Amino acid sequence: MGDQPNKDLRYLDYSQGTIEDNTVQTTFKVQKIPEYEKALKLKDEGKLKEALRIIDDVLMEGADDFQNWNAKALILDSLSDYENSIECFDKALKLNDSDFIRKNKANSLYNYAKVTFFPDADYEKAMNLIDDALECLPEGEDPSEYYFLKAEIFESLEQPIETRLYYLKAEGEFEKAEKLSLQLDFLKNSDDTLITVSGTNFFKGLSPFVKGVILNLIKEPDNEHDGDAIAVFLADEQVGYVANSPYTLFDGVKSASEIKFIEDNQKAEVLFNFLERFVILRVID
């Protein structure tokens, strides 16, 4: 990620002129290298304290320039002083709201989020930081590392849907991510009674669950593991159970315990496969 915009820097200039005897005289002028460039060079050499001293001296002299604040922010980022780094980026952006500074700030927020996630294990703060980084990242920049970190945070929070969504984005599978987002919106906003089928691996897998297929829900009050268990049948063959565990339930779907009021041999329609592991059904009124 670039520290500053690309530009053609010429440090050696000259002019030519004539004197009375027609002799050509050439005068060379060496342009002074800006202090922020000296500081950034020292940063790249690993001389961080010296780099910080130079840029602080410049700022103390009143050189309130966006390049100076950007340079200080980059040095502080290298020192893992992320809070002060981000403050300096904000000062630079007030003076020059440019993509190259936004990119640098987004990178610093990403670095801050990484250490907040691990080893600090402050997942909420890490999530807020990575969201800020994604919002700051200029359009056209590659966000895959940011999405990957966000997926890891969701995974630590044991939120499998969001984890899958951001891993898809990190891998560039945006069509699949969009499909999953639309499914999530449907689950959260549907007025139907929706249920999840789990345990399919113990039966026929996902192959029986074709969109529109009608299934039978059979109560199992004598089930020794779960008195609220509801088996799912395709014709006379069992293909799974209505999910009744918090690990197999999602926002917008009902558990087997929540729909135990249904009649025995209730019908349900297959809507779609979810997360390549579960099936969403609609209980038919």
Side-chain angles (χ1 to χ4, degrees), residues 174-184 272-273:
F174 294 109
E175 288 186 9
K176 290 182 179 179
E178 178 64 17
K179 180 181 178 181
L180 180 55
S181 294
L182 292 172
Q183 289 176 340
L184 285 172
F272 52 82
N273 292 343

Side-chain angles (χ1 to χ4, degrees), residues 19 26 44 83 95 99 123 136 149-150 167 190 226 254 267 273 277:
I19 55 179
T26 302
D44 293 339
E83 288 189 10
L95 296 168
D99 281 353
Y123 301 141
C136 184
L149 179 57
K150 189 165 183 176
Y167 275 133
S190 176
D226 183 0
K254 303 289 186 183
K267 305 294 184 183
N273 292 343
R277 293 177 54 198

Side-chain angles (χ1 to χ4, degrees), residues 153-199:
I153 298 169
F154 273 125
E155 193 168 21
S156 296
L157 291 168
E158 297 183 350
Q159 297 187 31
I161 302 173
E162 289 80 3
T163 298
R164 177 61 177 159
L165 178 63
Y166 280 95
Y167 275 133
L168 286 171
K169 290 185 176 184
E171 294 161 3
E173 298 282 358
F174 294 109
E175 288 186 9
K176 290 182 179 179
E178 178 64 17
K179 180 181 178 181
L180 180 55
S181 294
L182 292 172
Q183 289 176 340
L184 285 172
D185 289 340
F186 175 81
L187 293 178
K188 292 176 181 178
N189 298 308
S190 176
D191 293 328
D192 292 321
T193 300
L194 305 177
I195 56 177
T196 305
V197 182
S198 62

Side-chain angles (χ1 to χ4, degrees), residues 88-157:
C88 290
F89 280 128
D90 286 337
K91 290 178 180 179
L93 286 167
K94 284 182 180 180
L95 296 168
N96 183 1
D97 191 346
S98 57
D99 281 353
F100 91 93
I101 300 176
R102 286 187 169 276
K103 183 178 178 181
N104 290 338
K105 179 184 174 183
N107 187 51
S108 189
L109 284 162
Y110 169 79
N111 292 335
Y112 194 9
K114 280 198 300 185
V115 299
T116 305
F117 169 57
F118 182 82
D120 293 353
D122 188 342
Y123 301 141
E124 182 178 355
K125 183 177 180 180
M127 187 69 76
N128 290 334
L129 287 167
I130 201 63
D131 282 340
D132 289 346
L134 282 164
E135 185 177 349
C136 184
L137 192 67
E139 187 176 353
E141 295 294 335
D142 181 9
S144 57
E145 289 186 51
Y146 298 70
Y147 288 143
F148 187 81
L149 179 57
K150 189 165 183 176
E152 289 185 309
I153 298 169
F154 273 125
E155 193 168 21
S156 296
L157 291 168

Side-chain angles (χ1 to χ4, degrees), residues 24-47:
V24 175
Q25 182 178 19
T26 302
T27 303
F28 289 93
K29 295 180 181 179
V30 179
Q31 297 179 356
K32 183 180 180 181
I33 299 174
E35 295 299 293
Y36 72 84
E37 289 189 10
K38 293 180 183 178
L40 289 176
K41 185 175 185 297
L42 289 169
K43 174 188 78 72
D44 293 339
E45 294 172 353
K47 301 174 183 178

